mmCIF file of all heavy atoms in Angstrom:
data_model
loop_
_atom_site.group_PDB
_atom_site.id
_atom_site.type_symbol
_atom_site.label_atom_id
_atom_site.label_comp_id
_atom_site.label_asym_id
_atom_site.label_seq_id
_atom_site.Cartn_x
_atom_site.Cartn_y
_atom_site.Cartn_z
ATOM 1 N N VAL A 5 -38.085 -17.549 -27.382
ATOM 2 C CA VAL A 5 -38.571 -17.362 -28.749
ATOM 3 C C VAL A 5 -38.090 -16.041 -29.334
ATOM 4 O O VAL A 5 -37.715 -15.962 -30.497
ATOM 5 C CB VAL A 5 -40.114 -17.495 -28.831
ATOM 6 C CG1 VAL A 5 -40.817 -16.360 -28.102
ATOM 7 C CG2 VAL A 5 -40.577 -17.562 -30.264
ATOM 8 N N THR A 18 -46.878 -22.119 -39.850
ATOM 9 C CA THR A 18 -47.532 -22.282 -38.550
ATOM 10 C C THR A 18 -46.509 -22.098 -37.441
ATOM 11 O O THR A 18 -45.385 -22.573 -37.547
ATOM 12 C CB THR A 18 -48.150 -23.689 -38.425
ATOM 13 O OG1 THR A 18 -49.076 -23.882 -39.500
ATOM 14 C CG2 THR A 18 -48.870 -23.862 -37.107
ATOM 15 N N VAL A 19 -46.911 -21.387 -36.390
ATOM 16 C CA VAL A 19 -46.084 -21.293 -35.196
ATOM 17 C C VAL A 19 -46.904 -21.746 -33.994
ATOM 18 O O VAL A 19 -48.122 -21.551 -33.950
ATOM 19 C CB VAL A 19 -45.515 -19.881 -34.950
ATOM 20 C CG1 VAL A 19 -44.554 -19.467 -36.025
ATOM 21 C CG2 VAL A 19 -46.608 -18.862 -34.776
ATOM 22 N N ILE A 20 -46.224 -22.359 -33.065
ATOM 23 C CA ILE A 20 -46.818 -22.750 -31.790
ATOM 24 C C ILE A 20 -46.085 -21.967 -30.721
ATOM 25 O O ILE A 20 -44.860 -22.053 -30.623
ATOM 26 C CB ILE A 20 -46.677 -24.262 -31.547
ATOM 27 C CG1 ILE A 20 -47.363 -25.045 -32.658
ATOM 28 C CG2 ILE A 20 -47.247 -24.635 -30.181
ATOM 29 C CD1 ILE A 20 -47.096 -26.536 -32.620
ATOM 30 N N ILE A 21 -46.831 -21.192 -29.954
ATOM 31 C CA ILE A 21 -46.212 -20.417 -28.890
ATOM 32 C C ILE A 21 -46.798 -20.830 -27.548
ATOM 33 O O ILE A 21 -47.984 -21.085 -27.427
ATOM 34 C CB ILE A 21 -46.344 -18.896 -29.127
ATOM 35 C CG1 ILE A 21 -47.792 -18.479 -29.388
ATOM 36 C CG2 ILE A 21 -45.476 -18.444 -30.275
ATOM 37 C CD1 ILE A 21 -47.979 -16.987 -29.560
ATOM 38 N N ASP A 22 -45.942 -20.909 -26.563
ATOM 39 C CA ASP A 22 -46.321 -21.286 -25.196
ATOM 40 C C ASP A 22 -45.483 -20.424 -24.251
ATOM 41 O O ASP A 22 -44.503 -20.883 -23.676
ATOM 42 C CB ASP A 22 -46.055 -22.775 -24.975
ATOM 43 C CG ASP A 22 -46.562 -23.276 -23.630
ATOM 44 O OD1 ASP A 22 -47.148 -22.474 -22.866
ATOM 45 O OD2 ASP A 22 -46.356 -24.456 -23.338
ATOM 46 N N PRO A 23 -45.865 -19.149 -24.111
ATOM 47 C CA PRO A 23 -45.057 -18.222 -23.337
ATOM 48 C C PRO A 23 -45.217 -18.438 -21.829
ATOM 49 O O PRO A 23 -46.105 -19.173 -21.386
ATOM 50 C CB PRO A 23 -45.624 -16.852 -23.745
ATOM 51 C CG PRO A 23 -47.061 -17.145 -24.030
ATOM 52 C CD PRO A 23 -47.060 -18.508 -24.669
ATOM 53 N N ILE A 41 -47.464 -15.446 -41.482
ATOM 54 C CA ILE A 41 -47.690 -16.747 -40.859
ATOM 55 C C ILE A 41 -49.183 -17.046 -40.940
ATOM 56 O O ILE A 41 -50.012 -16.229 -40.544
ATOM 57 C CB ILE A 41 -47.183 -16.745 -39.408
ATOM 58 C CG1 ILE A 41 -45.665 -16.573 -39.399
ATOM 59 C CG2 ILE A 41 -47.596 -18.014 -38.685
ATOM 60 C CD1 ILE A 41 -45.075 -16.298 -38.043
ATOM 61 N N ASN A 43 -50.975 -19.690 -39.562
ATOM 62 C CA ASN A 43 -51.628 -20.264 -38.386
ATOM 63 C C ASN A 43 -50.800 -20.021 -37.137
ATOM 64 O O ASN A 43 -49.577 -20.170 -37.165
ATOM 65 C CB ASN A 43 -51.785 -21.778 -38.549
ATOM 66 C CG ASN A 43 -52.522 -22.146 -39.806
ATOM 67 O OD1 ASN A 43 -53.706 -21.915 -39.933
ATOM 68 N ND2 ASN A 43 -51.796 -22.710 -40.753
ATOM 69 N N ILE A 44 -51.486 -19.671 -36.060
ATOM 70 C CA ILE A 44 -50.835 -19.542 -34.759
ATOM 71 C C ILE A 44 -51.595 -20.421 -33.776
ATOM 72 O O ILE A 44 -52.823 -20.331 -33.667
ATOM 73 C CB ILE A 44 -50.841 -18.093 -34.248
ATOM 74 C CG1 ILE A 44 -50.115 -17.165 -35.211
ATOM 75 C CG2 ILE A 44 -50.244 -18.014 -32.845
ATOM 76 C CD1 ILE A 44 -50.235 -15.693 -34.868
ATOM 77 N N ILE A 45 -50.861 -21.267 -33.103
ATOM 78 C CA ILE A 45 -51.415 -22.054 -32.005
ATOM 79 C C ILE A 45 -50.789 -21.488 -30.742
ATOM 80 O O ILE A 45 -49.564 -21.521 -30.582
ATOM 81 C CB ILE A 45 -51.121 -23.549 -32.167
ATOM 82 C CG1 ILE A 45 -51.748 -24.057 -33.463
ATOM 83 C CG2 ILE A 45 -51.632 -24.341 -30.952
ATOM 84 C CD1 ILE A 45 -51.315 -25.443 -33.861
ATOM 85 N N TYR A 46 -51.616 -20.932 -29.890
ATOM 86 C CA TYR A 46 -51.150 -20.223 -28.699
ATOM 87 C C TYR A 46 -51.614 -21.006 -27.480
ATOM 88 O O TYR A 46 -52.801 -21.098 -27.203
ATOM 89 C CB TYR A 46 -51.711 -18.807 -28.718
ATOM 90 C CG TYR A 46 -51.252 -17.871 -27.633
ATOM 91 C CD1 TYR A 46 -51.268 -16.502 -27.846
ATOM 92 C CD2 TYR A 46 -50.820 -18.310 -26.385
ATOM 93 C CE1 TYR A 46 -50.866 -15.604 -26.877
ATOM 94 C CE2 TYR A 46 -50.417 -17.433 -25.410
ATOM 95 C CZ TYR A 46 -50.446 -16.075 -25.658
ATOM 96 O OH TYR A 46 -50.045 -15.192 -24.684
ATOM 97 N N ILE A 47 -50.666 -21.557 -26.745
ATOM 98 C CA ILE A 47 -50.942 -22.327 -25.534
ATOM 99 C C ILE A 47 -50.563 -21.454 -24.350
ATOM 100 O O ILE A 47 -49.497 -20.831 -24.349
ATOM 101 C CB ILE A 47 -50.114 -23.632 -25.515
ATOM 102 C CG1 ILE A 47 -50.402 -24.449 -26.767
ATOM 103 C CG2 ILE A 47 -50.381 -24.434 -24.241
ATOM 104 C CD1 ILE A 47 -49.414 -25.565 -27.022
ATOM 105 N N ILE A 85 -55.842 -23.245 -25.083
ATOM 106 C CA ILE A 85 -55.232 -23.372 -26.404
ATOM 107 C C ILE A 85 -56.105 -22.612 -27.404
ATOM 108 O O ILE A 85 -57.291 -22.923 -27.557
ATOM 109 C CB ILE A 85 -55.110 -24.850 -26.818
ATOM 110 C CG1 ILE A 85 -54.335 -25.623 -25.761
ATOM 111 C CG2 ILE A 85 -54.458 -24.975 -28.187
ATOM 112 C CD1 ILE A 85 -54.434 -27.121 -25.900
#
Side-chain angles (χ1 to χ4, degrees):
V5 67
T18 302
V19 295
I20 300 171
I21 52 177
D22 186 1
I41 295 169
N43 304 290
I44 300 172
I45 299 169
Y46 185 155
I47 303 166
I85 304 166

